[in-house]
Amino acid sequence: GGDGSASLAPLEMGEPQTPPQRDTGWIRATELQSSAMEGDEWVGTVATTDPAWTLQVRASTGSEGVIAIAVSAKVDTVQASDAQASALQGSGVQAMSVAFAASENERFVGFGERGNAVNQAGNVLENFVAEGPYQDSEYVFINAVVPPAGVRWRPDTTYFPIPWLLSSRGYGVLLDNDELSYHRIGTGAEAAWAVEVEATDLRLRVFAGPQPADALRRFSAALGRQPDNYTAWFFGPWVQSDRDTRIDEM
């Protein structure tokens, strides 16, 4: 919640980048007010802790074992006066977030190319394309040659983020938003994980198991797979040389 739109937190020397602070606290869902089917889509209206706001939730099935969910914030014109509704509509929404229960010892992998960990339980992950990660001592040089928008001082920094979570419990969740987003894996509450996006609506797809491999199979069927006829070296070892003549020497 809050007025205006949040921006990336400033990069400070010696201080790892952290998610931005919101202008105000979160408005949270409380109970389902109504629901109905619109064709093949389930549509629900959810009350929140602020009577002037509701959440509209839409859920539909696409391919077998995949559910698409979209959540958007709406001003309740019944509870809010015309003037209040107009002011709220103009204020915008800074971010949307949804949380899910997590079990003890549940492991969370995926998230694109990350160098900080394999199991991301207990971490906050930023989904933003940037250079890195680097050693802390290197950022004084990196900041001098890379535009500020391309540097994120975080251990999970990556130039290939994918907002895709795969759980050891046998399900996967893909955030379909392109905007800046964060995964908070057991950091707010040990028994929960959350995904947060700086947008006025939140869109995700849930991929069923029952095993992690089944969820991954459904995910790759939806987004694409490597071709079957790849060449022999495609998944072979690779080397990054320290000088141009190294390959000849080897």
Side-chain angles (χ1 to χ4, degrees):
D3 297 339
S5 59
S7 58
L8 295 174
L11 193 66
E12 298 180 6
M13 187 60 60
E15 294 294 333
Q17 193 77 38
T18 58
Q21 296 297 314
R22 307 301 173 193
D23 289 346
T24 61
W26 290 97
I27 298 171
R28 302 184 183 278
T30 55
E31 61 181 358
L32 181 66
Q33 287 183 330
S34 64
S35 65
M37 294 297 298
E38 294 184 2
D40 295 331
E41 189 175 47
W42 179 90
V43 181
T45 299
V46 180
T48 72
T49 51
D50 185 336
W53 288 95
T54 61
L55 296 174
Q56 184 181 79
V57 182
R58 293 180 173 269
S60 60
T61 57
S63 56
E64 184 267 334
V66 182
I67 299 176
I69 300 173
V71 184
S72 56
K74 304 290 185 181
V75 174
D76 190 331
T77 55
V78 175
Q79 296 293 332
S81 65
D82 291 342
Q84 185 182 21
S86 177
L88 290 173
Q89 293 282 20
S91 67
V93 175
Q94 279 194 331
M96 298 283 289
S97 178
V98 61
F100 298 87
S103 65
E104 186 178 3
N105 298 322
E106 186 173 358
R107 299 181 300 280
F108 302 91
V109 299
F111 307 102
E113 183 182 36
R114 306 283 178 167
N116 64 312
V118 176
N119 176 17
Q120 298 288 358
N123 294 332
V124 176
L125 298 169
E126 182 179 74
N127 299 303
F128 184 88
V129 178
E131 291 290 339
Y134 299 97
Q135 300 295 325
D136 284 349
S137 59
E138 296 176 309
Y139 277 97
V140 63
F141 306 105
I142 299 301
N143 291 338
V145 296
V146 178
V151 181
R152 303 297 289 153
W153 195 332
R154 297 174 56 88
D156 61 297
T157 295
T158 177
Y159 50 79
F160 199 81
I162 302 176
W164 154 251
L165 174 149
L166 181 61
S167 166
S168 59
R169 290 172 59 191
Y171 67 89
V173 178
L174 173 69
L175 179 68
D176 275 321
N177 291 73
D178 294 328
E179 296 89 347
L180 176 66
S181 60
Y182 295 91
H183 279 87
R184 303 177 189 274
I185 313 299
T187 56
E190 292 185 3
W193 67 268
V195 59
E196 170 188 329
V197 60
E198 293 192 351
T200 57
D201 66 314
L202 184 151
R203 304 182 306 278
L204 53 83
R205 277 178 279 176
V206 180
F207 296 81
Q211 299 298 321
D214 298 312
L216 184 59
R217 173 176 54 81
R218 291 189 170 97
F219 170 77
S220 61
L223 271 73
R225 295 169 174 163
Q226 297 290 354
D228 293 332
N229 58 342
Y230 55 82
T231 58
W233 53 264
F234 198 82
F235 287 117
W238 61 279
V239 61
Q240 182 172 343
S241 62
D242 57 350
R243 59 180 182 271
D244 294 340
T245 59
R246 175 64 72 185
I247 300 299
D248 295 333
E249 294 173 1
M250 295 175 63

